CSV table of all heavy atoms in Angstrom, one decimal:
chain,number,residue,atom,x,y,z
G,175,GLU,N,-31.7,24.1,10.8
G,175,GLU,CA,-32.9,23.4,10.3
G,175,GLU,C,-34.1,23.6,11.1
G,175,GLU,O,-35.2,23.9,10.6
G,175,GLU,CB,-32.5,21.9,10.0
G,175,GLU,CG,-33.7,21.2,9.5
G,175,GLU,CD,-33.3,19.7,9.2
G,175,GLU,OE1,-32.2,19.2,9.5
G,175,GLU,OE2,-34.2,19.0,8.6
G,176,ALA,N,-34.0,23.3,12.4
G,176,ALA,CA,-35.2,23.4,13.2
G,176,ALA,C,-35.8,24.9,13.2
G,176,ALA,O,-37.0,25.0,13.2
G,176,ALA,CB,-34.8,23.1,14.7
G,177,TYR,N,-34.9,25.9,13.2
G,177,TYR,CA,-35.4,27.3,13.2
G,177,TYR,C,-36.2,27.5,11.9
G,177,TYR,O,-37.3,28.0,12.0
G,177,TYR,CB,-34.2,28.2,13.3
G,177,TYR,CG,-34.6,29.6,13.0
G,177,TYR,CD1,-35.2,30.4,14.0
G,177,TYR,CD2,-34.4,30.2,11.8
G,177,TYR,CE1,-35.5,31.7,13.8
G,177,TYR,CE2,-34.8,31.5,11.5
G,177,TYR,CZ,-35.4,32.3,12.6
G,177,TYR,OH,-35.8,33.6,12.3
G,178,TRP,N,-35.6,27.1,10.8
G,178,TRP,CA,-36.3,27.4,9.5
G,178,TRP,C,-37.6,26.4,9.3
G,178,TRP,O,-38.5,26.9,8.5
G,178,TRP,CB,-35.4,27.3,8.3
G,178,TRP,CG,-34.5,28.5,8.2
G,178,TRP,CD1,-33.1,28.6,8.5
G,178,TRP,CD2,-34.9,29.8,7.9
G,178,TRP,NE1,-32.7,29.8,8.4
G,178,TRP,CE2,-33.7,30.6,8.0
G,178,TRP,CE3,-36.1,30.4,7.6
G,178,TRP,CZ2,-33.8,32.0,7.8
G,178,TRP,CZ3,-36.1,31.8,7.4
G,178,TRP,CH2,-35.0,32.6,7.5
G,179,ARG,N,-37.6,25.4,9.9
G,179,ARG,CA,-38.9,24.5,9.8
G,179,ARG,C,-40.0,25.2,10.6
G,179,ARG,O,-41.2,25.0,10.2
G,179,ARG,CB,-38.6,23.2,10.3
G,179,ARG,CG,-37.8,22.3,9.2
G,179,ARG,CD,-38.0,20.8,9.5
G,179,ARG,NE,-37.1,20.1,8.5
G,179,ARG,CZ,-37.5,19.8,7.3
G,179,ARG,NH1,-38.7,20.1,6.9
G,179,ARG,NH2,-36.7,19.1,6.5
G,180,ALA,N,-39.6,26.0,11.6
G,180,ALA,CA,-40.6,26.6,12.4
G,180,ALA,C,-41.2,28.0,11.8
G,180,ALA,O,-42.2,28.5,12.2
G,180,ALA,CB,-40.1,26.8,13.8
G,181,GLN,N,-40.4,28.5,10.9
G,181,GLN,CA,-40.8,29.8,10.3
G,181,GLN,C,-41.9,29.6,9.3
G,181,GLN,O,-42.0,28.5,8.7
G,181,GLN,CB,-39.6,30.5,9.6
G,181,GLN,CG,-38.4,30.8,10.6
G,181,GLN,CD,-38.9,31.6,11.8
G,181,GLN,OE1,-39.6,32.7,11.6
G,181,GLN,NE2,-38.6,31.2,13.0
G,182,PRO,N,-42.7,30.7,9.0
G,182,PRO,CA,-43.6,30.6,7.9
G,182,PRO,C,-43.0,30.3,6.5
G,182,PRO,O,-41.8,30.6,6.3
G,182,PRO,CB,-44.2,32.0,7.9
G,182,PRO,CG,-43.9,32.6,9.2
G,182,PRO,CD,-42.6,32.0,9.6
G,183,LEU,N,-43.7,29.7,5.7
G,183,LEU,CA,-43.2,29.3,4.3
G,183,LEU,C,-42.7,30.6,3.6
G,183,LEU,O,-41.6,30.4,2.9
G,183,LEU,CB,-44.2,28.5,3.5
G,183,LEU,CG,-43.7,27.9,2.2
G,183,LEU,CD1,-42.5,27.0,2.4
G,183,LEU,CD2,-44.8,27.3,1.5
G,184,ALA,N,-43.4,31.6,3.7
G,184,ALA,CA,-43.0,32.9,2.9
G,184,ALA,C,-41.7,33.4,3.4
G,184,ALA,O,-40.9,33.8,2.6
G,184,ALA,CB,-44.2,33.9,3.2
G,185,ALA,N,-41.4,33.3,4.7
G,185,ALA,CA,-40.1,33.8,5.2
G,185,ALA,C,-39.0,32.8,4.7
G,185,ALA,O,-37.9,33.3,4.4
G,185,ALA,CB,-40.2,33.8,6.8
G,186,LEU,N,-39.2,31.5,4.8
G,186,LEU,CA,-38.2,30.6,4.3
G,186,LEU,C,-37.9,30.8,2.8
G,186,LEU,O,-36.8,30.9,2.4
G,186,LEU,CB,-38.7,29.2,4.5
G,186,LEU,CG,-37.9,28.0,3.9
G,186,LEU,CD1,-36.5,28.0,4.5
G,186,LEU,CD2,-38.5,26.7,4.0
G,187,THR,N,-39.0,31.0,2.0
G,187,THR,CA,-38.8,31.2,0.6
G,187,THR,C,-38.0,32.6,0.4
G,187,THR,O,-37.1,32.6,-0.5
G,187,THR,CB,-40.1,31.3,-0.1
G,187,THR,OG1,-40.8,30.1,0.2
G,187,THR,CG2,-40.0,31.4,-1.6
G,188,ALA,N,-38.4,33.6,1.1
G,188,ALA,CA,-37.7,34.9,0.9
G,188,ALA,C,-36.2,34.8,1.3
G,188,ALA,O,-35.4,35.3,0.6
G,188,ALA,CB,-38.4,36.0,1.8
G,189,TYR,N,-35.9,34.0,2.4
G,189,TYR,CA,-34.5,33.8,2.8
G,189,TYR,C,-33.7,33.1,1.7
G,189,TYR,O,-32.6,33.4,1.3
G,189,TYR,CB,-34.4,33.2,4.1
G,189,TYR,CG,-33.0,32.7,4.4
G,189,TYR,CD1,-32.1,33.7,4.9
G,189,TYR,CD2,-32.5,31.4,4.3
G,189,TYR,CE1,-30.8,33.3,5.2
G,189,TYR,CE2,-31.3,31.0,4.6
G,189,TYR,CZ,-30.3,32.0,5.0
G,189,TYR,OH,-29.1,31.6,5.4
G,190,LEU,N,-34.3,32.0,1.2
G,190,LEU,CA,-33.7,31.2,0.2
G,190,LEU,C,-33.4,31.9,-1.1
G,190,LEU,O,-32.5,31.6,-1.8
G,190,LEU,CB,-34.4,29.9,-0.1
G,190,LEU,CG,-34.4,28.9,1.1
G,190,LEU,CD1,-35.2,27.8,0.9
G,190,LEU,CD2,-33.0,28.5,1.6
G,191,ASP,N,-34.3,32.8,-1.4
G,191,ASP,CA,-34.1,33.6,-2.7
G,191,ASP,C,-32.9,34.5,-2.6
G,191,ASP,O,-32.2,34.7,-3.6
G,191,ASP,CB,-35.3,34.5,-2.9
G,191,ASP,CG,-36.6,33.8,-3.3
G,191,ASP,OD1,-36.5,32.5,-3.8
G,191,ASP,OD2,-37.7,34.3,-3.3
G,192,VAL,N,-32.4,34.9,-1.4
G,192,VAL,CA,-31.3,35.8,-1.3
G,192,VAL,C,-30.0,35.1,-0.8
G,192,VAL,O,-28.9,35.6,-0.8
G,192,VAL,CB,-31.6,37.0,-0.5
G,192,VAL,CG1,-32.5,37.8,-1.2
G,192,VAL,CG2,-32.0,36.7,0.9
G,193,ALA,N,-30.3,33.9,-0.2
G,193,ALA,CA,-29.1,33.2,0.4
G,193,ALA,C,-28.2,32.6,-0.6
G,193,ALA,O,-28.6,32.1,-1.7
G,193,ALA,CB,-29.6,32.0,1.4
G,194,GLN,N,-26.9,32.8,-0.4
G,194,GLN,CA,-25.9,32.3,-1.2
G,194,GLN,C,-25.4,30.9,-0.8
G,194,GLN,O,-25.1,30.7,0.4
G,194,GLN,CB,-24.7,33.2,-1.3
G,194,GLN,CG,-25.0,34.6,-1.8
G,194,GLN,CD,-25.4,34.5,-3.3
G,194,GLN,OE1,-24.8,33.8,-4.1
G,194,GLN,NE2,-26.4,35.3,-3.7
G,195,PRO,N,-25.4,29.9,-1.8
G,195,PRO,CA,-24.9,28.5,-1.3
G,195,PRO,C,-23.4,28.6,-0.9
G,195,PRO,O,-22.6,29.4,-1.5
G,195,PRO,CB,-25.0,27.7,-2.6
G,195,PRO,CG,-25.9,28.4,-3.4
G,195,PRO,CD,-25.8,29.9,-3.1
G,196,ILE,N,-23.0,27.9,0.1
G,196,ILE,CA,-21.7,28.0,0.6
G,196,ILE,C,-20.9,26.7,0.1
G,196,ILE,O,-21.2,25.6,0.5
G,196,ILE,CB,-21.6,28.0,2.1
G,196,ILE,CG1,-22.4,29.2,2.7
G,196,ILE,CG2,-20.2,28.0,2.7
G,196,ILE,CD1,-22.6,29.2,4.2
G,197,ALA,N,-20.1,26.9,-0.9
G,197,ALA,CA,-19.5,25.7,-1.7
G,197,ALA,C,-18.7,24.9,-0.7
G,197,ALA,O,-18.6,23.7,-0.8
G,197,ALA,CB,-18.8,26.3,-2.8
G,198,ALA,N,-18.0,25.5,0.2
G,198,ALA,CA,-17.1,24.7,1.2
G,198,ALA,C,-17.9,23.7,2.0
G,198,ALA,O,-17.4,22.8,2.5
G,198,ALA,CB,-16.4,25.7,2.1
G,199,LEU,N,-19.2,24.0,2.1
G,199,LEU,CA,-20.0,23.1,3.0
G,199,LEU,C,-20.6,21.9,2.2
G,199,LEU,O,-21.2,21.0,2.8
G,199,LEU,CB,-21.1,23.8,3.6
G,199,LEU,CG,-20.7,24.9,4.6
G,199,LEU,CD1,-21.9,25.6,5.2
G,199,LEU,CD2,-19.9,24.3,5.7
G,200,THR,N,-20.4,21.9,0.8
G,200,THR,CA,-21.0,20.8,0.0
G,200,THR,C,-20.0,19.6,-0.2
G,200,THR,O,-20.4,18.6,-0.7
G,200,THR,CB,-21.5,21.3,-1.3
G,200,THR,OG1,-20.4,21.9,-2.0
G,200,THR,CG2,-22.6,22.4,-1.1
G,201,GLY,N,-18.8,19.8,0.2
G,201,GLY,CA,-17.9,18.7,-0.1
G,201,GLY,C,-16.6,18.9,0.7
G,201,GLY,O,-16.5,19.8,1.5
G,202,THR,N,-15.6,18.1,0.4
G,202,THR,CA,-14.3,18.2,1.2
G,202,THR,C,-13.3,18.9,0.2
G,202,THR,O,-13.4,18.9,-1.0
G,202,THR,CB,-13.7,16.9,1.6
G,202,THR,OG1,-13.5,16.1,0.4
G,202,THR,CG2,-14.7,16.1,2.5
G,203,GLN,N,-12.3,19.6,0.8
G,203,GLN,CA,-11.3,20.2,0.0
G,203,GLN,C,-10.4,19.3,-0.8
G,203,GLN,O,-9.9,19.6,-1.8
G,203,GLN,CB,-10.5,21.2,0.8
G,203,GLN,CG,-11.2,22.3,1.4
G,203,GLN,CD,-10.4,23.2,2.3
G,203,GLN,OE1,-9.3,22.8,2.7
G,203,GLN,NE2,-10.9,24.4,2.6
């Protein structure tokens, strides 16, 4: 979180456009 808050908004947006959500991190098995 701290890393991405320090990056330019364009870089964050570009990363989020290609990043895949990790379903295992959104809940418990």
Side-chain angles (χ1 to χ4, degrees):
E175 182 177 1
Y177 172 80
W178 283 110
R179 286 200 182 274
Q181 298 304 310
L183 184 60
L186 174 63
T187 305
Y189 172 75
L190 293 177
D191 286 344
V192 297
Q194 297 293 319
I196 302 171
L199 299 177
T200 60
T202 62
Q203 292 178 346

